[in-house]
Amino acid sequence: GETILRRASRDATTRFVKMSFAISAQATCARVTGGVAVRRNEGMKSSFSGARVVQKDVVKLARKQVATVAAVSVPEGVTIEKMGKDLLNKTYYPKGEDTDNSRKPWIVIDAAGLRLGRLSTLIATYLRGANVGSYSPSMNMGTYVVVINAEKVTVSGNKMTEKIYRRHETGRPGSMKEETFIKLQQRIPERIIEKAVKGMLPKNRMGREIFGQLKVYAGPEHPHAAQSPVDLTAEVKARCYSSSQRK
């Protein structure tokens, strides 16, 4: 008895779903073609605009999607070829002349008293050109960055003695050398900023090209006066420190 009730309930549900789908399919047909759908109760058959349509045809028509294409009006006497490619795309993409090294500006930053991590992030931003409105990740839109007084860069906490730099002199395992921050700063202070910035650049050909635009010097002098670099030390200090840390 329970099995018969379940089967009857299932058949009733199936008939209700079929009827609802047929009615929605007729409404869809009317909306697509602009006509009026008329439903007939004769054996679940339907008619549309006077023509008899069986249930399968209604289902197929309901599944069919109609795409509307908006026509673009072109001025008289002007063709698409004359107007150029991709009329609707207004996004500017950098050209070859935008990445010309001879047109890149030069900036100089005094690293005396600045934190290593915050300074390196800003240097990497200037090198990649992420501060430019026309920045594109796939193009070298950056500037040349000259860093002076690299021997006076600082770190927070106990990193002076706890930060370790490792290198392989022969390029093979077993010859690794370890050196603390303060020892490397006394030996090659430029290496500290170079390693920090290089780790923030893309690991590909473009990253190696961008890294060549970084010039780091231990003292206050640099040989790039002919390029007339702009001093951005004040701007970098304002962005490196919060209002309570500014000097």
Side-chain angles (χ1 to χ4, degrees):
E2 185 178 356
T3 305
I4 296 175
L5 290 177
R6 286 182 180 177
R7 185 175 302 174
S9 176
R10 184 177 57 188
D11 295 342
T13 304
T14 304
R15 287 196 299 271
F16 177 76
V17 171
K18 287 184 178 181
M19 184 180 300
S20 301
F21 187 81
I23 295 174
S24 61
Q26 289 177 337
T28 303
C29 297
R31 186 170 61 254
V32 171
T33 58
V36 179
V38 180
R39 176 176 173 271
R40 295 184 179 178
N41 297 326
E42 301 173 357
M44 288 301 296
K45 294 182 180 181
S46 305
S47 65
F48 182 76
S49 299
R52 294 178 62 84
V53 182
V54 296
Q55 182 179 352
K56 293 184 179 179
D57 296 334
V58 173
V59 173
K60 291 181 181 179
L61 186 57
R63 292 178 179 177
K64 185 178 179 181
Q65 298 179 355
V66 180
T68 58
V69 180
V72 180
S73 59
V74 180
E76 186 177 356
V78 180
T79 60
I80 297 296
E81 290 76 12
K82 291 183 181 180
M83 296 181 68
K85 299 180 180 179
D86 202 356
L87 302 178
L88 302 180
N89 189 5
K90 303 296 183 181
T91 304
Y92 176 78
Y93 191 79
K95 307 297 189 299
E97 55 268 17
D98 296 329
T99 61
D100 187 7
N101 290 336
S102 62
R103 299 185 179 183
K104 293 182 182 295
W106 287 66
I107 63 175
V108 59
I109 300 174
D110 188 356
L114 297 180
R115 297 278 179 87
L116 174 63
R118 295 173 180 261
L119 173 65
S120 301
T121 55
L122 292 177
I123 293 175
T125 301
Y126 288 125
L127 287 174
R128 295 207 64 187
N131 59 320
V132 182
S134 58
Y135 166 72
S136 179
S138 60
M139 303 289 282
N140 182 5
M141 302 292 297
T143 63
Y144 283 89
V145 180
V146 180
V147 182
I148 59 177
N149 289 324
E151 59 187 1
K152 298 180 181 179
V153 71
T154 62
V155 289
S156 61
N158 299 326
K159 295 187 181 72
M160 282 282 189
T161 56
E162 294 181 357
K163 187 174 177 61
I164 303 297
Y165 291 90
R166 298 177 175 86
R167 70 183 189 277
H168 293 271
E169 293 189 349
T170 61
R172 300 178 180 177
S175 61
M176 184 177 66
K177 305 294 182 181
E178 293 185 351
E179 199 170 13
T180 61
F181 178 90
I182 190 169
K183 289 184 178 181
L184 182 59
Q185 192 176 36
Q186 295 172 357
R187 190 171 65 91
I188 311 176
E190 302 92 339
R191 187 73 53 81
I192 294 175
I193 296 180
E194 289 175 353
K195 288 179 69 66
V197 174
K198 190 173 184 178
M200 301 178 184
L201 297 177
K203 309 302 185 293
N204 50 26
R205 183 185 303 173
M206 187 181 67
R208 293 188 292 271
E209 178 185 350
I210 294 175
F211 182 72
Q213 299 172 193
L214 175 63
K215 316 293 181 183
V216 186
Y217 300 96
E221 302 294 332
H222 64 84
H224 303 289
Q227 282 73 28
S228 303
V230 180
D231 191 358
L232 295 184
T233 305
E235 179 183 345
V236 171
K237 281 186 177 181
R239 298 181 63 181
C240 277
Y241 298 102
S242 62
S243 58
S244 62
Q245 295 176 322
R246 259 175 227 169
K247 298 180 181 180

